[in-house]
Amino acid sequence: MSVLYTAKASVQGEGRKGRGSTDDGRLDVELSVPKGMGGDDGPGTNPEQLFAVGYAACFHGALKNVARQNKVDASDSTVSSAVSLSKGDDGFGLSVELTVTIPGQDQAAAQKLVDAAHQMCPYSKATRGNIDVTVTALAG
């Protein structure tokens, strides 16, 4: 594979409570610990929220590509993601739930598009076999 793009970012502070930014200055965010993890729910975002947005955006791009290839209008489609951080006997882990809505498609057609996008999406490929990812298609 040839590299098309490399994102570069750094975090300063206390990891989950600090500041994160990209080298090009396009993203500069305050990080905070959610209340459910012992934080104060202060201003800022957290790694799980950033991952949720990134995965949803990447999956949506894959879905649009698959829809175009199949000559399906997915212009009003939506991808929602939920990223959960859990703790077990072996430490911390992530799980993801993606819910994809494709208006104008019946359930079987929507599921076919979503399944194809899940095979194509780089985030799906990276997480496959590593964390639990559930993808649900909703017809519209």
Side-chain angles (χ1 to χ4, degrees):
M1 285 192 179
S2 62
V3 175
L4 299 176
Y5 173 74
T6 300
K8 295 179 182 179
S10 60
V11 173
Q12 301 83 32
E14 300 176 30
R16 287 182 164 272
K17 189 174 183 180
R19 179 156 225 88
S21 60
T22 55
D23 67 334
D24 62 4
R26 296 179 85 183
L27 180 67
D28 186 357
V29 294
E30 185 173 349
L31 301 170
S32 63
V33 179
K35 205 171 202 168
M37 292 177 58
D40 60 7
D41 235 7
T45 188
N46 60 65
E48 292 72 34
Q49 289 176 324
L50 294 169
F51 186 68
V53 169
Y55 200 158
C58 187
F59 196 93
H60 204 209
L63 177 69
K64 295 280 187 139
N65 192 353
V66 167
R68 250 188 322 276
Q69 290 173 355
N70 287 280
K71 297 181 178 24
V72 172
D73 180 12
S75 58
D76 291 331
S77 59
T78 304
V79 177
S80 300
S81 63
V83 173
S84 299
L85 178 68
S86 303
K87 185 176 181 184
D89 292 339
D90 60 347
F92 294 97
L94 293 175
S95 60
V96 177
E97 294 179 21
L98 298 173
T99 305
V100 184
T101 305
I102 309 172
Q105 298 299 306
D106 64 33
Q107 185 62 39
Q111 191 64 55
K112 183 178 176 184
L113 291 170
V114 166
D115 290 345
H118 194 37
Q119 293 304 309
M120 176 186 285
C121 173
Y123 275 56
S124 292
K125 289 179 182 181
T127 58
R128 191 169 290 120
N130 296 310
I131 65 173
D132 290 333
V133 177
T134 304
V135 182
T136 304
L138 301 177

